[in-house]
Amino acid sequence: MGCGRRTYLHFELTTAVRAVIFSMLMLLVGPAIAGPTAPVFAVVPSKIQPPEGVALGDFRRLYHPFENWTLICDDNLRTGVRICNIRQEIAVSHAGTIFSWTMADTETGEARMIVSAPAAIGDGGEILFRFHDGVTYSARVMCNPQACTTLVPVGPRIRKHIEQGLNVEISFLAPPVGEVRFSAPMKGLAAALAAVNVR
């Protein structure tokens, strides 16, 4: 009988302890579980925002894919002005985009390739462009912690490569990786250029 009483008392103490522990846990985590009284909802704004001075609704961006290139045009619907560029990105597996260049006109109407490359090249570093006939063009870059950039004029050799769909071999040194070398196809750029003024 004593044994039975001890068992009964042990059961009562265990229940009491559990009740106390449960009460303490609810005091500690209850507010966290309950959270705010109501969820807060908000509209996610468009990732594409109009340039300064252009109102929402007066701006439209169009993406027109071609082989190896993408034509991107921004339309000011109020003024009827269209600004376009044609972009190509080169990526490497498991590392993402390592090079991009965009064909665009300067304010004076001259075509340029706007180049973006890894910051590892370093300020004043060199990007080498080798054409189909073996001639090379060297471009010095300016860098910030995110990327290096430079401008390449669209001269007769690049235009020939565009017209004939030839590749341009590109190389640069990017420590600690070393030399990076790849071919950038011009095929598709002529078709993209022809579509610039098509509405």
Side-chain angles (χ1 to χ4, degrees):
M1 185 171 180
C3 180
R5 185 175 296 141
R6 281 196 298 271
T7 303
Y8 181 72
L9 288 173
H10 178 70
F11 176 76
E12 285 189 329
L13 288 173
T14 304
T15 303
V17 170
R18 286 179 177 174
V20 171
I21 293 173
F22 180 77
S23 298
M24 293 177 65
L25 286 173
M26 288 305 296
L27 287 172
L28 290 171
V29 304
I33 294 174
T37 56
V40 178
F41 297 93
V43 174
V44 178
S46 173
K47 294 180 180 179
I48 299 173
Q49 294 296 314
E52 186 177 353
V54 181
L56 289 169
D58 291 341
F59 175 78
R60 177 175 60 195
R61 176 166 293 172
L62 303 175
Y63 291 86
H64 192 167
F66 291 85
E67 186 175 3
N68 303 311
W69 297 83
T70 301
L71 170 64
I72 305 170
C73 291
D74 290 347
D75 290 338
N76 186 325
L77 302 179
R78 183 173 294 276
T79 63
V81 174
R82 166 174 283 188
I83 299 174
C84 297
N85 60 66
I86 308 170
R87 181 179 177 87
Q88 180 186 75
E89 295 185 352
I90 305 293
V92 62
S93 58
H94 309 300
T97 300
I98 61 163
F99 177 91
S100 69
W101 54 352
T102 302
M103 188 174 184
D105 286 342
T106 63
E107 293 181 355
T108 58
E110 298 172 326
R112 291 285 188 273
M113 302 299 286
I114 305 167
V115 175
S116 179
I121 296 173
D123 204 36
E126 178 185 58
I127 299 179
L128 193 66
F129 300 83
R130 182 179 295 275
F131 299 103
H132 191 66
D133 57 3
V135 174
T136 60
Y137 176 85
S138 175
R140 296 288 176 179
V141 298
M142 297 178 62
C143 305
N144 60 34
Q146 287 72 45
C148 293
T149 58
T150 189
L151 294 177
V152 177
V154 179
R157 280 190 172 81
I158 288 185
R159 293 192 181 279
K160 178 181 178 180
H161 282 63
I162 293 171
E163 293 169 2
Q164 299 183 10
L166 302 173
N167 292 351
V168 177
E169 189 176 272
I170 299 170
S171 61
F172 49 81
L173 290 175
V177 175
E179 185 183 41
V180 177
R181 183 184 298 271
F182 54 87
S183 290
M186 295 290 103
K187 187 176 182 181
L189 182 49
L193 283 167
V196 167
N197 294 318
V198 176
R199 299 275 176 161

